[in-house]
Every structure is written in structure tokens, then in C-alpha cells.
Amino acid sequence: MADLANHRRVLSYCAAEVREHDPERYLATLFAAADAREALFALYAFDREIARVPRVVSEPIAGLVRLQWWREALAAIAENRPPAHPVV
């Protein structure tokens, strides 16, 4: 159990999210070049964030607001001012 807790501390937030929620992608990513893995984990964690929007909102407008937030977050990343969010 301690080994698992230590391994989770070593993983980035995105890698831990992918490992927990999409273990097949996590394992497949381990076959990628080491310098590309973190970018892939971030991409897959972003995919999970977007895909879960319909499941976590009760009204369509709330989903649109969440998606707009992500659009703005991506624009902010492009301007080198990412918002404080573990996936961003």
C-alpha cells in the first residue's frame, strides 16, 4: 500500500487522473517516448475534463459555461498566462 501511495506522489496530476479514470490510455502512454508522456497525459486529462461536462451539469447552459471556460483557458495558455487549474 505504501508503494502505491509513493507512486501516486511521483505521478503528475494529469498522469494520476489518466491512470485512475482511463487505465488503458495510461498504459499505452507508457510506451511513448519519455519526453512526450507528460504532454500526452495532459491531453488525455483534458479530454476527460471535456467529456465529463455532460455528466456533471444538470442544465445545458451550465455545460456551455464550462466549455466556454475551457475555450478561454486554451486561449490563455496560448498567451502564456494559464489559469490555475491542475489540468491546465
Side-chain angles (χ1 to χ4, degrees), residues 39-60:
L40 289 169
F41 286 136
L43 182 63
Y44 296 149
F46 171 69
D47 177 64
R48 179 179 181 280
E49 289 285 334
I50 297 301
R52 68 188 213 105
V53 168
R55 292 190 310 268
V56 298
V57 299
S58 57
E59 295 291 328

Side-chain angles (χ1 to χ4, degrees), residues 1-2 4 7 9 13-15 18 20-21 26 38-40 45 48-49 51 57-59 64-65 70-71 73 75 88:
M1 184 79 150
L4 178 61
H7 183 67
R9 274 194 300 262
Y13 176 85
C14 292
V18 173
E20 181 176 343
H21 299 287
Y26 175 79
E38 195 56 39
L40 289 169
R48 179 179 181 280
E49 289 285 334
V57 299
S58 57
E59 295 291 328
L64 293 173
V65 168
W70 279 104
R71 281 186 203 97
V88 174

